Amino acid sequence: MSKSAAWRMTAQEKKSSLALASIFALRMLGLFVILPVFAVYARELPGGENAFLVGLTLGVYGLSQGLLQIPFGAASDRFGRKPVIIAGLALFALGSFIAACAGSITGVFIGRALQGAGAISAAVTAFISDSVRERVITKAMAMVGASIGLTFALSLLISPPLARVCGIEGLFALTGVLALIAIAVVRFVVPDAPQMIRTPASGKPWQQIALDPQLLRLNIGIFVLHAVLTAIFVVVPTRLASMDLPTGEHWQVYLPAVIAGFCVMAPLIIVGERKNALVRVMRIMIGFLTAAFVLFAYLMHSIWEIAFLLGLFFMGFNVLEATLPSLISRMAPKSDKGLAMGIYNTTQNLGLFAGGTAGGWIAQTWSAEAVFFACAFAMLLWLASAFGLKEPPCASREPGEALN
């Protein structure tokens, strides 16, 4: 195999990556379709006038995900990826239908908590890692990132008109249907992949995985990244509404921002992977987002300013969202990959909970500007921890690959 061909994905790797990315996409569409409109439409629900309670309801999904990612990830190491993923999607669908039937913000809170109990992210990410060679894993993770980004862009287009037609309850019902479709994809479309089943002899103690200094720095990063994501969507939709931009037209602000993020993501990931400089790219993007949040605090005075700032945010967010899982997959022990991804996804979803809860509390107690200053401070803490992170070793030569 030539050197250039070694960096290309095989047909089987592409099929596995695309199929598993579609699982993320179907599940995340069910979440994202709620995100742009929930803070506005929640005001129509009993209890929805309280910004803290709305933020808590947005964030509780992350709390229940955080509590169960490690058990789901470890279970996938022992019992196989597919059965665990199917069970998690079934729980997610159940929570969606409960939220659809709720008549108050409290009922939606319960449904969101049960949605989060379907904690499959670690198992799906580990499944991707099982399905591709180490040197193309960043490309596979970028496919997941791209599918999530495209899903988010689609949700911006369909969420407002769907919310007007069928309400929040209809959106939650849609998330349940999408989860059932995802179960069918896992069962009938996703190819099987060889997996190193964890045994007491081959696995390491969970404490050793959780406290590994390199993995810990990546876990801090994903916590912060998703905390600031949720915090933004506690503030931005209501600010746009206060500027007399109808909810049905918010996509005109969000969609260009997401597209701008995609345009930046691909070249930076390719350069970082080829030059074995993903950690360096990550640090640059952390600093970039820190500066963007400071600008958020000062430039939220018009729709054009908000659109520009969201473009900056998604440029940094998309790159970090793709590089972090790639790095942790390459650094985690093979027999404990599901456990390592479970810990990673636990901190990710705890970040969602912390961002929604803290963002709502800060906005209610102080101001929207204070939320962005808090986000900038959190990014600085992440940047400080990232300076101790080492680049992972170059991907090793695969069997049968020619030396050049």
Side-chain angles (χ1 to χ4, degrees):
M1 184 184 296
S2 69
K3 186 176 181 180
S4 60
W7 290 99
R8 292 197 293 265
M9 301 180 77
T10 66
Q12 180 71 6
E13 287 174 332
K14 289 178 182 177
K15 180 180 178 181
S16 297
S17 299
L18 288 170
L20 288 164
S22 73
I23 302 302
F24 267 111
L26 287 168
R27 179 167 163 270
M28 297 309 290
L29 179 60
L31 291 174
F32 286 152
V33 80
I34 298 292
L35 196 58
V37 298
F38 184 74
V40 176
Y41 282 88
R43 296 174 179 176
E44 302 173 5
L45 297 171
E49 70 283 351
N50 187 304
F52 171 70
L53 191 54
V54 171
L56 188 64
T57 302
L58 275 175
V60 71
Y61 171 90
L63 178 62
S64 53
Q65 280 270 304
L67 293 174
L68 292 171
Q69 282 291 349
I70 294 175
F72 268 70
S76 76
D77 284 334
R78 184 168 182 181
F79 302 112
R81 312 293 187 208
K82 280 191 175 183
V84 171
I85 293 170
I86 290 171
L89 287 169
L91 276 174
F92 181 87
L94 178 61
S96 299
F97 293 129
I98 289 175
C101 296
S104 68
I105 195 73
T106 303
V108 176
F109 176 89
I110 294 170
R112 288 276 295 173
L114 192 54
Q115 276 185 320
I120 63 166
S121 297
V124 174
T125 309
F127 202 163
I128 293 171
S129 182
D130 296 337
S131 303
V132 301
R133 291 165 296 148
E134 184 177 313
R135 68 172 47 197
V136 298
I137 196 169
T138 304
K139 291 181 180 178
M141 296 301 176
M143 285 184 182
V144 172
S147 72
I148 292 173
L150 290 172
T151 297
F152 183 72
L154 177 62
S155 74
L156 299 178
L157 295 174
I158 68 174
S159 178
L162 283 176
R164 285 198 304 270
V165 172
C166 56
I168 286 291
E169 60 276 9
L171 294 183
F172 278 116
L174 175 63
T175 68
V177 172
L178 290 172
L180 296 178
I181 294 172
I183 290 175
V185 173
V186 174
R187 180 68 179 83
F188 300 109
V189 179
V190 177
D192 292 327
Q195 176 188 343
M196 182 181 291
I197 299 297
R198 187 185 191 278
T199 65
S202 65
K204 295 182 179 180
W206 70 266
Q207 298 94 328
Q208 189 172 341
I209 302 298
L211 299 178
D212 179 276
Q214 297 299 295
L215 298 179
L216 189 59
R217 287 179 169 86
L218 296 172
N219 292 334
I220 290 170
I222 200 62
F223 176 91
V224 172
L225 186 63
H226 280 254
V228 299
L229 172 68
T230 314
I232 280 180
F233 281 96
V234 172
V235 172
V236 169
T238 53
R239 179 61 64 91
L240 290 172
S242 72
M243 294 176 178
D244 297 323
L245 182 68
T247 305
E249 298 179 14
H250 285 194
W251 67 269
Q252 297 175 15
V253 176
Y254 297 135
L255 185 58
V258 174
I259 293 173
F262 275 123
C263 292
V264 171
M265 178 182 73
L268 283 178
I269 288 176
I270 291 171
V271 170
E273 188 176 61
R274 292 287 179 91
K275 295 184 177 295
N276 198 40
L278 283 177
V279 171
R280 192 182 313 166
V281 169
M282 184 189 78
R283 292 190 192 117
I284 292 170
M285 288 295 101
I286 296 170
F288 179 81
L289 278 184
T290 303
F293 282 122
V294 174
L295 292 177
F296 262 107
Y298 289 105
L299 297 180
M300 290 272 288
H301 303 120
S302 72
I303 293 171
W304 285 106
E305 288 179 352
I306 294 174
F308 168 71
L309 293 168
L310 285 173
L312 295 182
F313 172 76
F314 280 106
M315 286 177 189
F317 178 85
N318 285 358
V319 174
L320 292 167
E321 183 78 358
T323 56
L324 283 168
S326 170
L327 288 169
I328 205 159
S329 294
R330 289 168 63 180
M331 292 180 180
K334 291 186 182 297
S335 61
D336 292 293
K337 197 162 289 186
L339 174 60
M341 296 307 303
I343 296 169
Y344 171 84
N345 282 283
T346 291
T347 54
Q348 177 186 55
N349 288 286
L350 289 176
L352 289 172
F353 173 72
T357 305
W361 178 71
I362 292 171
Q364 181 83 11
T365 306
W366 286 288
S367 66
E369 289 73 19
V371 173
F372 296 117
F373 280 123
C375 289
F377 179 70
M379 296 299 296
L380 282 175
L381 293 178
W382 178 13
L383 184 61
S385 73
F387 277 107
L389 190 65
K390 300 176 182 178
E391 296 283 357
C394 292
S396 58
R397 186 168 59 90
E398 304 295 333
E401 181 179 321
L403 290 168
N404 290 288

